[in-house]
């Protein structure tokens, strides 16, 4: 969305949002279509589809598909301008209270967080470094597949692997908000998750909780690779890209740390 040129122009590039607090409503409470009279047109359309398919408008069903549960206390806040902000902006970063309570720092939901910055042939803008894009391809699918397993019995190698991969990604992205991490160090952590080097660190973790031991292990890995392959990290920091040679050197350093 472009602002009025007479008032300086520009556009809404990025919006930081958070999921609405979960209301104290039991999962089996059933709502009526009239409870959504104050909702946006988009939510009303989704409610109509559910009603047409005879799907009960229970709090549990609404939460599964990210429709805010209407209550007297939260109804006004639940619908206020959120859809407008999403449609106006070029991207959104979503924070999640459930991730924060699970000890994930920063508590960003990578499934809901999206960007349209840099899309199109007529722009030179970009939302992230090429180095990151070369590593995290497929992360949204990995996270979505693992999220679909929440609450299910992990009885197959495939399901166990999906959850393990999500845990590894979250550990790689885990970062104390009081500390900074260079682009090169971020790439090292993400590469470690990609090649499976963090699997052993997350296998016995409590849910998606990142323990102090796991955090220290990751920091020790970053320090090891920084000392072993300083030129590879400097190349990433200076060019914002990851060469095949640099990737191979970093992966070898990661593997040497766990040998």
């Amino acid at each position: 969305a472009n602002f009025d040129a007479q008032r300086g122009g520009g556009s809404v590039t990025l919006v930081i949002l958070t999921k609405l607090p979960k209301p104290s409503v039991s999962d089996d409470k059933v709502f009526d279509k009239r409870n959504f009279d104050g909702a946006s047109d988009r939510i009303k359309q989704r409610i109509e589809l559910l009603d047409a398919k005879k799907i009960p408008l229970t709090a549990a069903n609404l939460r599964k598909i990210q429709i805010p549960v209407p209550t007297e206390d939260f109804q006004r806040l639940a619908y206020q301008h959120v859809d407008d902000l999403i449609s106006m902006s070029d991207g959104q970063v979503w924070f999640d209270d459930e991730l924060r309570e699970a000890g994930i720092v920063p508590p960003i939901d990578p499934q809901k967080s999206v960007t349209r910055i840099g899309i199109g042939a007529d722009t030179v803008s970009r939302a992230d470094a090429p180095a990151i894009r070369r590593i995290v391809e497929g992360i949204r699918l990995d996270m979505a597949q693992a999220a679909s397993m929440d609450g299910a019995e992990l009885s197959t190698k495939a399901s166990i692997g999906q959850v393990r991969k999500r845990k590894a990604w979250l550990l790689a992205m885990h970062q104390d908000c009081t500390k900074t991490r260079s682009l090169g160090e971020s790439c090292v952590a993400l590469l470690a998750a990609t090649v499976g080097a963090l699997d052993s660190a997350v296998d016995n973790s409590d849910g998606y909780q990142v323990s102090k031991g796991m955090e220290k292990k990751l920091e020790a890995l970053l320090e090891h690779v920084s000392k072993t392959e300083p030129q590879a990290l400097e190349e990433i920091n200076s060019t914002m890209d990851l060469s095949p040679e640099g990737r191979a050197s970093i992966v070898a350093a990661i593997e040497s740390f766990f040998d």
Side-chain angles (χ1 to χ4, degrees):
N2 292 321
F3 292 127
D4 190 325
Q6 295 182 350
R7 298 186 178 182
S11 63
V12 180
T13 299
L14 193 65
V15 174
I16 296 178
L17 301 168
T18 183
K19 288 184 180 178
L20 293 166
K22 185 179 290 185
S24 56
V25 177
S26 63
D27 284 346
D28 57 357
K29 180 175 176 59
V30 181
F31 294 92
D32 186 88
K33 289 195 301 182
R34 291 171 296 180
N35 293 117
F36 299 87
D37 288 343
S40 67
D41 289 340
R42 181 184 176 189
I43 288 180
K44 287 180 180 178
Q45 290 171 1
R46 296 175 69 190
I47 293 297
E48 288 292 344
L49 287 173
L50 293 174
D51 187 62
K53 294 180 179 180
K54 306 298 183 183
I55 297 176
L57 301 178
T58 63
N61 287 339
L62 295 173
R63 287 169 182 151
K64 284 180 182 178
I65 57 176
Q66 297 294 316
I67 292 180
V69 176
T71 66
E72 291 182 359
D73 294 332
F74 288 91
Q75 189 170 18
R76 180 180 62 82
L77 293 175
Y79 306 126
Q80 189 176 16
H81 309 310
V82 172
D83 283 344
D84 289 337
L85 284 171
I86 291 174
S87 64
M88 288 171 59
S89 62
D90 293 324
Q92 305 89 43
V93 175
W94 282 89
F95 287 90
D96 189 330
D97 277 344
E98 291 182 12
L99 294 178
R100 179 181 58 81
E101 291 170 3
I104 297 170
V105 181
I108 295 175
D109 185 341
Q111 289 175 254
K112 290 177 68 67
S113 300
V114 297
T115 179
R116 292 182 292 276
I117 300 170
I119 295 177
D122 60 343
T123 177
V124 295
S125 301
R126 60 190 182 195
D128 50 23
I132 296 292
R133 292 192 182 187
R134 297 187 192 282
I135 300 171
V136 300
E137 184 178 3
I139 184 174
R140 291 172 67 83
L141 179 59
D142 286 341
M143 301 297 274
Q145 287 177 333
S148 69
M149 300 300 299
D150 284 349
E153 183 178 352
L154 304 180
S155 56
T156 66
K157 287 185 178 181
S159 60
I160 293 172
Q162 288 171 352
V163 172
R164 180 190 293 126
K165 177 60 73 173
R166 185 187 187 197
K167 289 182 177 181
W169 280 123
L170 290 173
L171 174 57
M173 293 184 285
H174 184 85
Q175 182 178 351
D176 189 326
C177 293
T178 64
K179 298 178 181 179
T180 59
R181 186 179 291 174
S182 70
L183 176 60
E185 290 172 327
S186 294
C187 288
V188 170
L190 293 169
L191 270 174
T194 302
V195 301
L198 299 182
D199 289 357
S200 60
V202 302
D203 268 341
N204 298 318
S205 61
D206 181 14
Y208 292 106
Q209 180 81 31
V210 175
S211 66
K212 288 294 183 183
M214 294 161 62
E215 191 174 347
K216 289 180 179 179
K217 191 81 169 180
L218 180 59
E219 292 301 320
L221 169 64
L222 297 180
E223 184 178 355
H224 170 77
V225 177
S226 295
K227 291 180 178 179
T228 306
E229 293 293 339
Q231 291 183 337
L233 268 66
E234 178 55 34
E235 180 184 12
I236 295 173
N237 292 332
S238 60
T239 66
M240 295 195 296
D241 207 346
L242 177 63
S243 66
E245 296 79 13
R247 182 188 182 106
S249 297
I250 292 173
V251 170
I254 291 172
E255 292 173 344
S256 70
F257 175 79
F258 290 97
D259 285 344

